[in-house]
């Protein structure tokens, strides 16, 4: 592969923006965190993600699945049983989210002090 073209760069940026738009929604991060390293069923996820409706959980899971972060497995049983797990990309995203959380804990005092200074000015 040679040097990426402007079209290649634009395509990567567009796809990244779409993924970040989904991951940046209110419910995506809690859902990703709730799935974690397990393969929970829909009901388990609904109980773990406090405050999310069935409809919003369904929408969020579909969005994450479309972006390649979540894999859905429907088992042909009665009643139907559906499990969700993070894909390789989803596990990488989970690790990245945990990195941001660690960064937040490490720099919390610094961020709060900067906000106070900014708000006084």
């Amino acid at each position: 592969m040679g040097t990426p073209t402007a079209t290649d760069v634009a395509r990567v940026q567009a796809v990244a923006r779409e993924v970040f738009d989904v991951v940046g929604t209110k419910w995506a991060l809690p859902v990703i965190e709730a799935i974690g390293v397990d393969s929970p069923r829909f009901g388990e996820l609904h109980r773990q993600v406090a405050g999310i409706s069935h409809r919003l959980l369904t929408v969020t899971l579909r969005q994450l699945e479309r972006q390649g972060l979540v894999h859905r497995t429907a088992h042909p049983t009665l009643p139907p049983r559906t499990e969700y797990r993070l894909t390789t990309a989803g596990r990488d995203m989970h690790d990245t989210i945990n990195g941001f959380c660690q960064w937040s804990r490490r720099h919390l005092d610094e961020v709060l002090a900067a906000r106070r200074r900014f708000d006084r000015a």
Side-chain angles (χ1 to χ4, degrees), residues 55-105:
R55 181 187 155 293
L56 283 174
L57 179 56
T58 298
V59 168
T60 301
L61 286 166
R62 286 182 180 168
Q63 290 173 335
L64 293 170
E65 183 179 8
R66 182 172 186 270
Q67 299 303 326
L69 302 175
V70 168
H71 178 78
R72 176 181 179 272
T73 303
H75 299 279
T77 60
L78 287 174
R81 185 175 58 120
T82 305
E83 296 174 335
Y84 298 88
R85 66 175 169 75
L86 296 177
T87 62
T88 300
R91 287 190 301 277
D92 284 351
M93 180 64 71
H94 184 264
D95 292 345
T96 299
I97 292 163
N98 286 337
F100 276 123
C101 292
Q102 291 169 5
W103 177 91
S104 297
R105 284 189 293 277

Side-chain angles (χ1 to χ4, degrees), residues 102-116:
Q102 291 169 5
W103 177 91
S104 297
R105 284 189 293 277
R106 278 194 313 271
H107 297 283
L108 177 64
D109 293 336
E110 182 181 343
V111 169
L112 294 175
R115 289 179 182 179
R116 285 191 297 274

Side-chain angles (χ1 to χ4, degrees), residues 6-61:
T7 303
D8 295 334
V9 172
R11 182 170 176 255
V12 168
Q13 290 173 343
V15 170
R17 274 193 300 278
E18 290 175 20
V19 172
F20 296 146
D21 283 347
V22 169
V23 173
T25 62
K26 177 179 181 177
W27 296 109
L29 295 181
V31 169
I32 290 169
E33 187 62 31
I35 295 172
V37 296
D38 296 324
S39 295
R41 293 171 61 182
F42 185 91
E44 294 171 281
L45 284 173
H46 187 252
R47 283 188 294 280
Q48 286 182 330
V49 181
I52 195 169
S53 68
H54 280 89
R55 181 187 155 293
L56 283 174
L57 179 56
T58 298
V59 168
T60 301
L61 286 166

